[in-house]
Amino acid sequence: MNILKDKVAKLSFVALLITLTAAMFYTPTASAHGEKSQAAFMRMRTIHWFDLNWSKEEVAVNDTMTISGKFFVFSGWPETVDKPEISFLNIGIPGPVFIRAGSWIGGQLVPRSVSLELGETYEFKVLLKARRPGDWHVHTMLNVKGGGPIIGPGKWVTVTGSMGSFVNPITTLTGETLDLETYNLSNTYFWHALWYGLGLLWVAYWARKPLFIPRSIAVEAGKGDSLITPLDKKVTLGFAVGTILIVAVSMSSTNEKYPITVPLQAGLLRGIKSLELPAPTVAVKIEDATYRVPGRAMQMTMTITNNGDSPVRLGEFNTAGVRFMDAAVAQDETGYPDDLLAEEGLTSSDNSPIAPGQSKTIQVTASDAAWEVYRLADLIYDPDSRFAGLLFFFDAAGNRQMVTIDAPLIPTFI
Amino acid sequence: MSASQSAVRSRAEAVKVSRTFDWLILFTLFFVVLGGYHIHYMLTGGDWDFWTDWKDRRLWVTVAPIVSITFPAAVQACLWWRYRLPFGAVVCILGLLLGEWINRYLNFWGWTYFPVNFCFPSNLFPGAIVLDAVLLLTGSMTVTAVLGGMAYGLLFYPGNWPIIAPLHVPVEYNGMVMTLADLQGYHYVRTGTPEYIRMVEKGTLRTFGKDVAPVSAFFSAFVSILIYFLWHFFGQWFASTKFVEAA
Ligand SMILES: [Cu+2]
């Protein structure tokens, strides 16, 4: 008998361990550090984030900060990724360390999914309210249905204070002000505890009497029906009627307490306004582009034609959030993340101003460790080996023009 | 010790052993069901059960009873036909909800910091209690499937309404109407759950106007009946003992 007992006890213990592990395995995704593992072509040829600004580097719990900027929905969107017809402006943070107090595209609040057009530039803003202290990498992010998350540049932000002091006051349309952080919590615990208690009572009623072996013997002997007494039936009827009564009464008292409720709000938001950008007066043609693996540098030969009325110079090449700049023409003044900024990463064979009407072929080199660190060089292993990015030209008055480039890339290994 | 020798020496000892056995089996049953049922429910009901902004009048109401009547039907079949015990459904829900609460409290809240008022599980008890009661009172699988399955589907929404109604109070937020539940989903950032994967308020029931919840509940109740039959047979098959003749 003891052997049997031991065996059952052991089995029970194993079952307990397995089930506890199973019950605990699921945690919603909290990590936001997928930026480097995302295929290079996804980052280079889908959404181009630019003019980004993180309003603060340190923020106290309950204080807010914004991340604002623009994104260009690339015209040469890869065929392997679904078009952003259903997309959601997200924010790449490890779980709700901030709450998203607001997010806008083109001035429209976007709590739901939106439809975006290829070739358009959109202005966006995300308002975050700090909730949990720590150092967090805060990324811009756009989820595209059928394409997955497209993660943009990230910057470290420090949240100070304590999460215990976080509050989230909301005023409803019925005029009540509540703290969404803890609202309805005791009500939830109350009903769950009540019903769990009733469930336990039901099992306890049957577990008072011998359960398995004697009942099994009786059933095998064909006397199963004698196991149910008239009292059992009465108690059961009581449980059934009681359950229905509690449901009915609690439902009607809830309706009295909350006479005004609306269904969950859902549905795609269309007609998001894009930025009206004047057509660029600079035309760029990529003659060839090579990536030198040992030098971590990309070299492009391009013909630039200035159809405008003031001389322009090339100041920046932006791809996948990495900014290669020519310090002589343009500098970053927004505190852009260091690891994504190559302040002197852009050199030209001739960067003298291109006069109106003039056309010039120059060699441009974009070099920085970021090619390797951000695994952009992996581009050379893509099936169609193309690269893409934004070029920014500046005139003497500081006016900026944006030109998109999209061309094949050839690696050189020596 | 020969094989024919009894392990117990007196009736009193037999009763005691039998009782110990009861508790061991009940304990094991509880945790095995907890594990299997919890995984099944997470894979099939998943996000509808995780988040308040998925708990709508159409799909949650339809999906949750259909996918959750499975284990209760099977365990009922085993416990009733072999032992005439009518707590199969409730034991399942006790296990499932314990597992869910551990998961939501430790992982969703403790590890990832989603507030519990946003990620609590659905209440499945009213339907389960009635399901067990019908089985005991009628002793018939068919009646339990039809009446019990129906009740299981129909009691789900009203059984959860006292918990979720407060979250369906409307808010005007930066010029848009949202429920508090929508706002929870918007505020508490889920990087892995973009808004468009949310399957709520979709379907062809719009012609029923305001009263979609009862229609969804009836549909769910009807499918629950079918699923009950299916899983009841699974349970019976699983609980049957087959002796193989020695060659
Ligand atoms: Cu990061």
Side-chain angles (χ1 to χ4, degrees):
Chain A
M1 189 58 219
N2 274 331
I3 299 172
L4 191 64
K5 234 169 128 178
D6 278 1
K7 270 210 169 139
V8 176
K10 243 183 228 161
L11 259 172
S12 319
F13 186 66
V14 171
L16 176 70
L17 282 183
I18 293 172
T19 52
L20 284 183
T21 324
M24 303 202 182
F25 86 102
Y26 182 80
T27 313
T29 357
S31 157
H33 283 271
E35 73 254 38
K36 289 173 197 168
S37 51
Q38 188 155 59
F41 82 95
M42 277 286 282
R43 285 175 284 152
M44 274 189 166
R45 298 182 49 208
T46 52
I47 299 290
H48 289 288
W49 306 88
F50 65 102
D51 285 354
L52 297 179
N53 187 9
W54 288 255
S55 72
K56 290 177 188 170
E57 285 177 3
E58 191 178 308
V59 50
V61 167
N62 284 323
D63 278 355
T64 59
M65 66 173 285
T66 57
I67 294 140
S68 56
K70 303 183 183 94
F71 62 85
F72 173 66
V73 184
F74 190 55
S75 338
W77 193 274
E79 228 176 296
T80 44
V81 182
D82 279 5
K83 294 204 175 84
E85 276 147 11
I86 301 177
S87 14
F88 180 64
L89 179 65
N90 214 330
I91 192 81
I93 48 176
V97 294
F98 290 87
I99 63 163
R100 173 173 37 218
S103 55
W104 295 264
I105 302 178
Q108 151 91 55
L109 185 78
V110 287
R112 306 211 297 268
S113 303
V114 297
S115 196
L116 302 173
E117 309 265 341
L118 297 195
E120 296 289 335
T121 300
Y122 297 89
E123 201 163 20
F124 77 97
K125 186 170 94 177
V126 180
L127 177 67
L128 297 175
K129 180 172 168 183
R131 180 165 176 258
R132 192 177 148 211
D135 292 320
W136 312 113
H137 211 201
V138 181
H139 288 265
T140 59
M141 183 170 170
L142 188 87
N143 293 82
V144 172
K145 191 172 186 180
I150 297 170
I151 303 164
K155 184 170 179 174
W156 288 99
V157 176
T158 304
V159 174
T160 58
S162 97
M163 192 170 143
S165 62
F166 177 78
V167 284
N168 190 6
I170 302 290
T171 302
T172 67
L173 277 174
T174 53
E176 190 195 350
T177 297
L178 47 93
D179 181 2
L180 199 56
E181 185 78 0
T182 52
Y183 173 70
N184 196 37
L185 198 54
S186 47
N187 180 52
T188 306
Y189 285 142
F190 169 78
W191 286 109
H192 270 274
L194 179 90
W195 284 107
Y196 207 92
L198 282 174
L200 280 177
L201 258 167
W202 173 246
V203 174
Y205 175 76
W206 297 96
R208 290 174 307 139
K209 296 187 277 187
L211 292 171
F212 299 102
I213 296 172
R215 294 183 82 101
S216 172
I217 293 169
V219 171
E220 300 273 305
K223 288 185 276 187
D225 293 337
S226 68
L227 291 170
I228 311 293
T229 66
L231 176 69
D232 287 347
K233 293 208 171 190
K234 266 185 217 153
V235 169
T236 303
L237 201 63
F239 264 94
V241 172
T243 296
I244 291 167
L245 263 177
I246 296 176
V247 169
V249 170
S250 65
M251 174 139 182
S252 69
S253 71
T254 303
N255 284 339
E256 249 166 63
K257 202 170 163 202
Y258 300 95
I260 298 165
T261 57
V262 293
L264 296 183
Q265 303 292 300
L268 192 68
L269 302 170
R270 292 183 195 275
I272 298 293
K273 266 198 227 90
S274 57
L275 271 182
E276 304 267 342
L277 293 177
T281 55
V282 178
V284 176
K285 184 169 178 278
I286 304 290
E287 308 294 346
D288 69 63
T290 54
Y291 179 71
R292 264 194 66 224
V293 178
R296 300 196 290 208
M298 193 178 87
Q299 199 165 62
M300 299 172 264
T301 307
M302 58 175 84
T303 304
I304 305 165
T305 311
N306 185 358
N307 302 314
D309 43 23
S310 58
V312 294
R313 296 170 79 190
L314 175 62
E316 179 181 344
F317 170 55
N318 178 326
T319 187
V322 181
R323 301 174 65 190
F324 300 90
M325 322 239 343
D326 186 335
V329 182
Q331 293 96 30
D332 172 67
E333 273 144 21
T334 62
Y336 198 74
D338 285 340
D339 49 338
L340 293 166
L341 184 65
E343 282 162 307
E344 289 168 5
L346 194 72
T347 46
S348 306
S349 57
D350 168 17
N351 206 6
S352 56
I354 304 164
Q358 195 192 358
S359 189
K360 192 152 85 172
T361 300
I362 58 170
Q363 287 197 333
V364 176
T365 307
S367 61
D368 192 75
W371 282 107
E372 287 299 320
V373 176
Y374 278 87
R375 296 198 208 151
L376 292 177
D378 289 0
L379 194 65
I380 59 178
Y381 303 112
D382 279 345
D384 59 355
S385 294
R386 290 182 80 84
F387 81 102
L390 307 175
L391 293 177
F392 292 103
F393 291 89
F394 297 82
D395 67 9
N399 296 317
R400 190 180 69 170
Q401 295 205 49
M402 182 179 97
V403 178
T404 326
I405 50 171
D406 178 14
L409 183 74
I410 295 153
T412 57
F413 298 94
I414 42 165
Chain B
M1 190 186 189
S2 80
S4 60
Q5 199 184 333
S6 174
V8 292
R9 276 167 311 235
S10 66
R11 196 182 141 70
E13 202 175 292
V15 168
K16 215 181 119 201
V17 167
S18 157
R19 204 61 188 140
T20 313
F21 214 70
D22 278 351
W23 294 118
L24 288 176
I25 293 178
L26 197 60
F27 178 83
T28 312
L29 174 80
F30 181 78
F31 281 102
V32 168
V33 165
L34 185 163
Y37 192 17
H38 191 184
I39 291 171
H40 163 89
Y41 194 50
M42 279 210 279
L43 293 177
T44 52
D47 288 300
W48 277 294
D49 203 78
F50 294 157
W51 316 109
T52 55
D53 68 336
W54 281 64
K55 293 185 163 117
D56 71 333
R57 311 170 296 171
R58 288 165 205 263
L59 287 142
W60 175 56
V61 185
T62 309
V63 172
I66 293 173
V67 301
S68 67
I69 201 170
T70 50
F71 274 66
V75 175
Q76 266 198 345
C78 169
L79 291 185
W80 180 254
W81 300 116
R82 310 252 329 180
Y83 310 103
R84 287 294 185 281
L85 282 172
F87 55 64
V90 171
V91 154
C92 286
I93 304 302
L94 284 170
L96 177 66
L97 273 144
L98 178 70
E100 287 194 304
W101 271 109
I102 291 175
N103 182 24
R104 305 301 162 83
Y105 200 84
L106 296 182
N107 292 342
F108 282 64
W109 164 242
W111 186 253
T112 333
Y113 298 90
F114 286 106
V116 175
N117 64 2
F118 174 41
C119 61
F120 56 84
S122 317
N123 173 23
L124 296 163
F125 276 108
I129 293 174
V130 172
L131 197 62
D132 275 346
V134 174
L135 180 63
L136 180 118
L137 293 172
T138 66
S140 151
M141 177 188 77
T142 315
V143 180
T144 308
V146 175
L147 273 185
M150 179 69 77
Y152 191 86
L154 291 181
L155 285 172
F156 179 76
Y157 197 66
N160 278 283
W161 185 242
I163 306 171
I164 64 157
L167 294 166
H168 283 234
V169 174
V171 182
E172 194 232 291
Y173 199 71
N174 290 298
M176 272 173 97
V177 173
M178 292 165 98
T179 65
L180 287 167
D182 291 315
L183 202 55
Q184 287 178 308
Y186 183 52
H187 276 179
Y188 298 95
V189 177
R190 291 161 294 185
T191 44
T193 313
E195 197 273 340
Y196 53 73
I197 70 161
R198 196 162 68 119
M199 297 230 275
V200 297
E201 296 293 328
K202 287 182 184 175
T204 48
L205 293 174
R206 296 195 195 280
T207 40
F208 290 94
K210 253 178 76 193
D211 303 312
V212 286
V215 179
S216 306
F218 266 104
F219 175 70
S220 179
F222 178 70
V223 182
S224 294
I225 294 172
L226 302 179
I227 303 289
Y228 183 91
F229 272 117
L230 191 67
W231 279 71
H232 194 93
F233 284 122
F234 284 163
Q236 255 177 337
W237 169 77
F238 194 74
S240 64
T241 319
K242 295 266 187 316
F243 294 99
V244 182
E245 264 184 58

